[in-house]
Amino acid sequence: MTATEPETRGTAELTELVRKAWAEALGHDEFTDEDHFFHVGGHSLGALHVVRDLGAELGRKIPVRVLFGNPTVRGLAEKLAADA
């Protein structure tokens, strides 16, 4: 195992969690990891749901500005992994 493997696995797991939170908030799963949350039907209330659900799953508070600053699945997952 290399030093980057645990981080990659963690990011992969976080990516799945973000996808699930997005799908629940958006009411659909028709988006890619590079799509912008607000371009696939997201809105501010949905963003609050995403960070609430992710925060509950991860056991930490996630400010909504984290989603606003990282509005793609990949970007948000990477940010969450970096902040862990």
Side-chain angles (χ1 to χ4, degrees):
M1 207 180 322
T2 67
T4 60
E5 283 177 348
E7 181 177 314
T8 301
R9 186 175 64 232
T11 301
E13 291 169 7
L14 286 169
T15 299
E16 286 301 316
L17 288 175
V18 172
R19 282 186 196 126
K20 180 182 173 190
W22 276 38
E24 289 178 13
L26 295 169
H28 66 83
D29 62 0
E30 298 174 13
F31 53 84
T32 71
D33 291 353
E34 299 302 324
D35 283 332
H36 191 290
F37 181 75
F38 297 102
H39 296 173
V40 292
H43 47 75
S44 56
L45 185 57
L48 291 172
H49 285 263
V50 168
V51 297
R52 179 202 63 204
D53 292 349
L54 289 172
E57 184 70 33
L58 299 173
R60 59 183 157 130
K61 183 175 168 77
I62 301 170
V64 73
R65 71 177 180 274
V66 172
L67 174 57
F68 280 88
N70 302 276
T72 65
V73 169
R74 184 179 319 270
L76 183 55
E78 289 173 355
K79 174 66 173 163
L80 293 173
D83 290 351

